Amino acid sequence: MIGPDVARIAERLGLAADTATAIGQLAAETGLDVDAAYAVQTALLQRRLDRGERLVGLKMGLTSRAKMAQVGVDEVIWGRLTDVMRVPDGGTVDTGAYIHPRVEPEVAFLLDRLPEPGEPIGEFTDAVRAVAPAIELIDSRYADFTFSLPDVVADNTSAAAFVVGPWSPVPDGLENLGVLLEIDGRVAQVGSTAAILGDPRRALDEGIRLAGRHGVRLREGWLFLAGAATAAVPLRPGAHVRAVVEKLGTASLRAAS
């Protein structure tokens, strides 16, 4: 795909996000493949950087079978996080700023050094300074939250906002901790960190490998969202959302009424 097409697709997706207006899928119309879709994602990021946002980390998408089944895509993907996407723990978001927002419980890593591609899980754990419960707010820019693999990659894996709870040392048994997603005090989803590629640390390994294919290396001090432990739940105005991860604690946000 030639450069001008990448720029045009990125502009369409960026405007859709800025105006909270759904658009139709683009891949079939434009012939977008996955490699070109990551080029669009890079152009979308540059659009954000040009208006003063700062890259603070990466995120994984579709790391659980529940999420793959929910959106009909079967390949792990990665996207970018900026400082403007971050919501303080317990903070409030305006659902009107999004098209069809959904929330999901996650595990976040804080990187202490640069992990090497292919570094064994047992060795690169010391690359992680801390771990935390998290919530990701996703918001596909496509109508009906329906897309192909290139579509969702180009759309920065539906990234919209995220909350990170308190940081703590990496606990024993990270590969199988209980996870709850609560909406207004009621359990909406039950899962386990095992749903994140069998171990959230594997998601970090995959992120290093996949991002590296496109010349992106994780940096010291970056955040890394490992992916959802359950299916996502629609975020309604006025809702209070809490993610609970065994041994790690909680992260929360509230949707403005």
Side-chain angles (χ1 to χ4, degrees):
M1 174 167 287
I2 60 176
D5 288 331
V6 167
R8 180 176 60 85
I9 294 168
E11 185 64 18
R12 288 177 66 181
L13 285 166
L15 286 174
D18 291 345
T19 62
T21 303
I23 61 174
Q25 295 182 49
L26 298 172
E29 169 192 338
T30 61
L32 196 68
D33 63 14
V34 172
D35 284 340
Y38 277 112
V40 172
Q41 186 188 119
T42 298
L44 263 180
L45 172 67
Q46 189 59 52
R47 191 175 184 273
R48 286 179 169 271
L49 298 180
D50 288 345
R51 62 192 187 196
E53 298 184 37
R54 181 169 54 88
L55 183 63
V56 296
L58 301 184
K59 56 152 287 187
M60 298 300 287
L62 308 180
T63 51
S64 72
R65 292 187 182 276
K67 282 305 301 297
M68 288 182 183
Q70 188 176 35
V71 300
V73 175
D74 60 3
E75 183 174 315
V76 176
I77 55 179
W78 63 278
R80 333 288 179 103
L81 301 172
T82 75
D83 58 332
V84 171
M85 295 179 185
R86 187 164 186 169
V87 177
D89 189 15
T92 299
V93 298
D94 177 9
T95 56
Y98 307 104
I99 301 167
H100 28 215
R102 299 177 179 180
V103 287
E104 53 193 26
E106 302 213 7
V107 169
F109 293 118
L110 180 62
L111 300 184
D112 206 23
R113 66 169 174 84
L114 300 180
E116 295 296 328
E119 190 172 343
I121 288 175
E123 295 178 14
F124 77 57
T125 298
D126 69 348
V128 175
R129 183 182 309 169
V131 64
I135 297 170
E136 186 179 7
L137 189 160
I138 56 173
D139 185 38
S140 175
R141 269 51 75 165
Y142 302 111
D144 302 319
F145 225 109
T146 302
F147 41 72
S148 68
L149 184 62
D151 281 315
V152 68
V153 168
D155 190 29
N156 195 26
T157 67
S158 305
F162 65 96
V163 174
V164 177
W167 295 105
S168 59
V170 179
D172 293 336
L174 183 63
E175 71 280 4
N176 190 23
L177 301 179
V179 178
L180 299 177
L181 182 66
E182 298 176 350
I183 308 292
D184 294 330
R186 297 183 178 182
V187 175
Q189 292 283 331
V190 178
S192 165
T193 56
I196 307 171
L197 295 182
D199 185 330
R201 291 168 293 192
R202 288 199 184 111
L204 178 55
D205 192 40
E206 280 291 284
I208 294 165
R209 182 179 65 82
L210 294 173
R213 286 183 183 175
H214 297 271
V216 177
R217 286 203 65 198
L218 280 73
R219 302 176 187 174
E220 179 182 349
W222 270 12
L223 297 165
F224 183 88
L225 293 183
T230 73
V233 173
L235 180 63
R236 307 298 184 196
H240 180 259
V241 180
R242 193 170 78 129
V244 183
V245 182
E246 182 185 0
K247 295 185 180 181
L248 298 185
T250 67
S252 68
L253 65 80
R254 186 176 297 277
S257 299

